[in-house]
Amino acid sequence: MKGFLKIAGILGLAGGLLYLERRWPLRVEKESKSRRTARNLAVATLGVLTIHLVESPVLYPLAKKVENKRWGLVKRLHLPRVIKTLVALALLDYTLYLQHVLHHRIPLLLRFHAVHHVDLDLDASTALRFHFGEIALSVPYRIAQILLIGVDPGSLITWQSFLLLSVMFHHSNLQLSKPIEDRLVRVIVTPRMHGIHHSNEPENQNSNWSGGLTIWDALHGTLNLGVPQGEIDIGVQGFHRPEQVTLPKIVTQPFRNEPAVREFLEGE
Ligand SMILES: [Zn+2]
């Protein structure tokens, strides 16, 4: 029942964002919205299954153990519980930034992460389009995050909920008023900021790695807000045609060695 409510909540949120994106679109879309949404939800279904079968059975018992044994950095801090939770959430967000960099730097990880990037448009459905292999390969990294930071089950659930809200918001094709977005982006990742990361220009792809707070890009000098959305071609070089990114093609893409995939991996 809990899982059902969670999925209903995600679909409700995605539906709301899809409606707002249609009313106030940020970028002109290349592919049919309904076809892309159906394809991205199919990839997301495989991802949700992987989370239920591979990720959650490992992460939640581990977080419980971390709490009982008082393992990890945060548990050593002599601070009020609420501050410790905030520190854990900030460290989870920072280490997610580092993981995103690794997903673009390590060819095996990029092979899977590229499935997210070859979407020819960017909207709330792209936020759910992560290859099941990327989710499975992320489990050892999540284990390390939980153990080293000292993440208890409550902090883990809070972080996962915030992250889902954040990725759906910043992947969306929602046009916010520029002055409002300029203020928001000082704190959190926004649609225009993340749109630059999804540009097919390698220079832009190698910027704006943050997943929640903008500060990590600002601290590492990788913040890039200087590209107008009208100049951005969403996607990956070598993948321009809809027939290159059909559902069977993207699900099998990490396991194929076709020239476009090779070129992208070598170009990074
Ligand atoms: Zn990326």
Side-chain angles (χ1 to χ4, degrees):
M1 189 64 187
K2 245 164 119 187
F4 172 76
L5 282 177
K6 208 166 157 187
I7 290 171
I10 295 167
L11 289 176
L13 182 66
L17 272 171
L18 279 172
Y19 169 75
L20 294 172
E21 288 172 329
R22 262 182 204 272
R23 271 211 81 162
W24 296 286
L26 175 61
R27 294 165 292 261
V28 178
E29 297 185 337
K30 294 175 251 180
E31 264 201 285
S32 137
K33 187 112 175 159
S34 50
R35 193 173 350 128
R36 273 191 54 256
T37 305
R39 185 192 301 142
N40 289 350
L41 288 181
V43 177
T45 305
L46 293 174
V48 168
L49 275 175
T50 311
I51 289 171
H52 277 279
L53 296 173
V54 182
E55 190 192 87
S56 300
V58 178
L59 299 195
Y60 285 103
L62 181 67
K64 192 99 206 105
K65 193 151 194 174
V66 160
E67 185 176 40
N68 291 339
K69 302 263 182 193
R70 305 186 58 76
W71 285 340
L73 185 78
V74 170
K75 302 290 171 209
R76 290 175 199 280
L77 302 173
H78 297 287
L79 291 166
R81 194 184 159 90
V82 63
I83 305 287
K84 283 200 232 182
T85 303
L86 289 175
V87 172
L89 294 175
L91 289 175
L92 280 165
D93 196 44
Y94 177 53
T95 46
L96 184 76
Y97 167 94
L98 298 177
Q99 188 192 17
H100 192 182
V101 175
L102 294 176
H103 274 129
H104 280 259
R105 295 274 181 264
I106 298 173
L108 172 72
L109 300 180
L110 183 58
R111 214 167 243 283
F112 288 91
H113 187 58
V115 172
H116 173 68
H117 273 272
V118 296
D119 204 350
L120 298 176
D121 297 303
L122 183 65
D123 65 14
S125 74
T126 318
L128 305 174
R129 172 195 164 126
F130 286 94
H131 194 279
F132 65 87
E134 176 169 353
I135 294 168
L137 285 171
S138 294
V139 172
Y141 194 88
R142 295 275 173 276
I143 291 172
Q145 283 177 300
I146 291 170
L147 282 174
L148 294 175
I149 297 169
V151 180
D152 57 41
S155 305
L156 182 61
I157 293 170
T158 308
W159 179 62
Q160 287 175 329
S161 308
F162 272 124
L163 185 61
L164 182 64
L165 286 176
S166 172
V167 291
M168 292 199 55
F169 169 65
H170 66 237
H171 283 91
S172 76
N173 192 26
L174 174 62
Q175 181 167 183
L176 295 170
S177 114
K178 188 77 169 60
I180 291 179
E181 186 158 343
D182 286 347
R183 273 193 205 125
L184 270 181
V185 80
R186 289 182 204 160
V187 184
I188 57 165
V189 181
T190 62
R192 284 181 176 92
M193 175 182 168
H194 201 67
I196 295 171
H197 176 67
H198 275 261
S199 148
N200 71 1
E201 290 294 331
E203 197 187 315
N204 293 334
Q205 268 166 21
N206 289 325
S207 68
N208 299 352
W209 317 95
S210 295
L213 301 172
T214 309
I215 190 171
W216 316 123
D217 274 306
L219 288 175
H220 283 273
T222 51
L223 183 62
N224 174 8
L225 301 175
V227 188
Q229 296 297 299
E231 288 177 14
I232 294 173
D233 194 357
I234 297 288
V236 162
Q237 283 177 17
F239 293 82
H240 302 290
R241 288 174 287 114
E243 52 281 19
Q244 287 177 292
V245 293
T246 59
L247 182 61
K249 287 259 171 78
I250 59 172
V251 171
T252 56
Q253 184 181 302
F255 313 106
R256 283 186 287 115
N257 216 13
E258 67 172 52
V261 179
R262 249 190 347 257
E263 226 170 85
F264 174 58
L265 294 173
E266 281 159 13
E268 282 292 306

